[in-house]
Amino acid sequence: MGPGPLPPGQRLAKGWPVAHYGPVPRFHPDRWNLQVFGATTTGDTYSWTLDEVSALPGITVVTDLHCASGPTSTDHEFFGVAGTTLLELAPPAPQVTHVMAWAEYGYSANLRLSDFTSARTLMATHHNGEQLTAEHGFPLRLVVPHLYGYKGPKWLRGIEYMTADRRGFWEERGFHNVGDPWTNQRYSYQEE
Ligand SMILES: Nc1nc2c(c(=O)[nH]1)N[C@H]1C(S)=C(S)[C@@H](COP(=O)(O)O)O[C@H]1N2
Ligand SMILES: [Mo]
């Protein structure tokens, strides 16, 4: 099977390139958790160990990954926990409009709540049937299939519920606040 159409300005990558800022973090199983914090209904912070995350119901999503610097890698099968599942377990206050997805070392990406709860958005533990590799985000990475790659933090550690939008790591450094590859929302100067 050949690839489907690519978003405007994208080129087909060879294989699955690795792209990120900074070093690959080491995984510390005793210290690792996934937290949901910020504007939850109760104000409480929720926390899961990796075993607890792995025990949650999972979904499988097949998608391409579009890096905003140009390469698109195709046909990734991700398995993990849907954004909607996390929302049911940790309900947001009614005023929540956006989330910040936080990774190790302070990498972050802001999303509209509707991007996070889109049916195909997931926190992946597996790729093509195998545990994620370290350089691709082990033990957990966010995958938002309908947005550019920078909207999907590898080494995901937290979801912050926000009652107003705030820019994440690349969004503060010249990349588009929304990041829809199909309408070429690549750079912040393209924002209205
Ligand atoms: N923690 C973290 N996650 C990150 C990044 C990063 O710099 N740090 N880069 C993003 C970008 S720009 C892209 S294109 C994808 C690349 O994912 P890949 O290396 O699995 O291809 O990871 C995203 N997730
Ligand atoms: Mo990227």
Side-chain angles (χ1 to χ4, degrees), residues 8-191:
Q10 293 297 110
R11 59 183 182 272
L12 197 57
K14 276 203 191 110
W16 191 10
V18 173
H20 56 261
Y21 179 84
V24 173
R26 267 188 67 182
F27 173 58
H28 301 280
D30 45 323
R31 279 187 249 156
W32 191 94
N33 58 12
L34 175 70
Q35 295 206 325
V36 173
F37 61 100
T40 59
T41 33
T42 57
D44 293 336
T45 293
Y46 296 75
S47 182
W48 294 264
T49 65
L50 186 56
D51 285 345
E52 290 168 342
V53 170
S54 304
L56 297 175
I59 62 168
T60 298
V61 171
V62 175
T63 184
D64 298 344
L65 288 179
H66 314 292
C67 175
S69 70
T72 287
S73 57
T74 58
D75 286 326
H76 302 283
E77 184 191 280
F78 288 105
F79 172 82
V81 179
T84 51
T85 299
L86 206 70
L87 229 78
E88 284 165 21
L89 297 170
Q95 303 87 341
V96 172
T97 54
H98 293 77
V99 309
M100 191 72 82
W102 288 98
E104 303 284 357
Y105 298 144
Y107 183 88
S108 61
N110 58 315
L111 299 161
R112 297 168 297 195
L113 183 61
S114 57
D115 294 319
F116 186 71
T117 59
S118 164
R120 276 160 52 79
T121 296
L122 80 165
M123 290 154 284
T125 54
H126 290 73
H127 176 267
N128 292 355
E130 313 218 355
Q131 219 167 48
L132 282 173
T133 58
E135 62 269 28
H136 287 299
F138 176 82
L140 195 67
R141 85 177 280 167
L142 185 64
V143 178
V144 187
H146 62 284
L147 299 179
Y148 281 121
Y150 62 88
K151 292 294 189 178
K154 306 192 276 192
W155 315 296
L156 185 73
R157 288 293 305 275
I159 299 295
E160 177 186 359
Y161 291 159
M162 306 197 293
T163 56
D165 199 7
R166 211 168 76 224
R167 301 179 83 95
F169 182 87
W170 285 120
E171 296 83 359
E172 278 190 327
R173 289 166 177 77
F175 285 87
H176 197 284
N177 194 48
V178 177
D180 171 13
W182 299 98
T183 57
N184 198 30
Q185 293 180 333
R186 208 178 287 267
Y187 303 115
S188 47
Y189 68 74
Q190 298 167 311
E191 292 168 22

